[in-house]
Amino acid sequence: KDARRAAKAAGLDLADRIDLEEALVLRAAEKYDEALRRLTPRLRAADAQEAAFLWWAIGGCYRFQGRLSDSVAAFRKSMALAAKARDKVGRGYALFGLAGAVRVKGDAKASDTYYREAGRLFEGTGDDFGRAYAACGGANALRQLGRLDEAERGYRKAYGIYAGLGDPVDLAYVDWGWGEVHLKRGELYPALKRFSTAEKAFISGRETRGVVLCLHSRARALHALGRTKEAERLFSAGVALARRAKIHTHLESFT
């Protein structure tokens, strides 16, 4: 809103760019319906590179709305258009989106393949965020495949990069995933420590999806420790939070 006023006062024609940025803010704020209303019409006039970016953003909205097949299709369109535009970075992010969507659909093996392909695109580029994303996402796929030692190495690598970038929310996803590795090994107290650390960062960053993940992970760990009443309270709180936000994190088995 400030940018719109400043651009108008300076006589600058930035309305289109500001509208796109606002749509991305709405997406980040978990207002997926409103973000899609802004993003989808832009496809009509977009060239291949911009359309690749738009389909990537749209695919993320679909994923968190629970429209998983639509999400996969959107990321595939993004990947094809990025390849057409010879946009290596765009293709990498489309692969990230595709890897996450197919993992939530239960295909951890394909997810691992896509994360590895994306990781190869970002190695040597200087894009530290992309490198960290590949390491953390790949670790999530490996965890789902039961390859826990490899997953832990991926989380360790991602943790170091995200910490260096000063990215607390993505660092929290690493902590949560690492906690899930501990939980699968039966290491309940280290798991709870990771989940609690992640949850605080998610609350601070207003990352609803992450908070729901942590509430349910903590609930499972506490139930294993015999603290079932407390676990039930946390589990119910997670479901209520997800429903208020109109997301479906509480139903995901393969996150």
Side-chain angles (χ1 to χ4, degrees):
K1 289 177 181 177
D2 288 343
R4 287 185 197 282
R5 285 192 289 268
K8 184 177 181 180
L12 298 173
D13 184 14
L14 296 175
D16 186 66
R17 175 59 185 269
I18 294 169
D19 184 69
L20 174 59
E21 295 291 343
E22 192 168 36
L24 296 173
V25 171
L26 289 165
R27 178 180 178 274
E30 302 169 352
K31 297 180 179 180
Y32 302 117
D33 290 339
E34 196 171 345
L36 285 170
R37 283 195 292 271
R38 301 286 191 92
L39 292 167
T40 305
R42 301 181 67 90
L43 288 165
R44 288 193 293 270
D47 61 19
Q49 187 173 26
E50 183 181 359
F53 176 79
L54 290 169
W55 277 117
W56 167 82
I58 289 166
C61 292
Y62 287 160
R63 175 185 167 182
F64 297 122
Q65 287 180 323
R67 298 167 59 180
L68 300 180
S69 294
D70 288 340
S71 178
V72 168
F75 287 129
R76 289 194 184 280
K77 288 177 185 176
S78 176
M79 190 165 59
L81 287 161
K84 180 180 179 180
R86 298 182 181 179
D87 180 357
K88 180 179 176 181
V89 171
R91 185 165 176 267
Y93 279 97
L95 278 165
F96 283 148
L98 183 59
V102 299
R103 189 184 74 243
V104 174
K105 284 173 66 67
D107 194 348
K109 187 175 181 180
S111 180
D112 176 47
T113 299
Y114 293 138
Y115 278 123
R116 289 179 188 276
E117 186 178 350
R120 286 191 292 271
L121 290 175
F122 285 101
E123 282 299 333
T125 65
D127 187 335
D128 287 340
F129 181 83
R131 289 174 54 238
Y133 199 141
C136 182
N140 288 335
L142 290 167
R143 171 170 51 79
Q144 291 294 343
L145 290 166
R147 294 157 61 179
L148 300 183
D149 290 345
E150 292 176 74
E152 186 168 18
R153 286 195 292 272
Y155 289 129
R156 195 180 301 276
K157 178 180 178 179
Y159 195 97
I161 301 172
Y162 280 136
L165 291 173
D167 185 345
V169 170
D170 283 305
L171 195 64
Y173 276 112
V174 178
D175 268 318
W176 172 78
W178 204 336
E180 283 288 308
V181 168
H182 286 307
L183 188 60
K184 286 182 181 294
R185 289 174 175 157
E187 299 164 357
L188 302 179
Y189 289 106
L192 282 169
K193 185 176 180 180
R194 290 278 179 189
F195 296 147
S196 295
T197 298
E199 189 176 338
K200 289 173 185 174
F202 285 137
I203 290 170
S204 179
R206 299 184 181 183
E207 181 76 3
T208 306
R209 175 173 170 262
V211 175
V212 174
L213 288 172
C214 289
L215 287 169
H216 284 181
S217 293
R218 285 175 58 210
R220 286 184 285 119
L222 290 170
H223 178 56
L225 288 167
R227 295 161 60 181
T228 302
K229 186 175 181 180
E230 186 178 356
E232 286 283 5
R233 180 179 60 78
L234 293 179
F235 186 85
S236 296
V239 172
L241 182 59
R243 287 177 173 164
R244 284 198 300 274
K246 298 181 180 178
I247 58 176
H248 308 282
T249 307
H250 57 301
L251 299 176
E252 294 180 7
S253 298
F254 306 107
T255 299

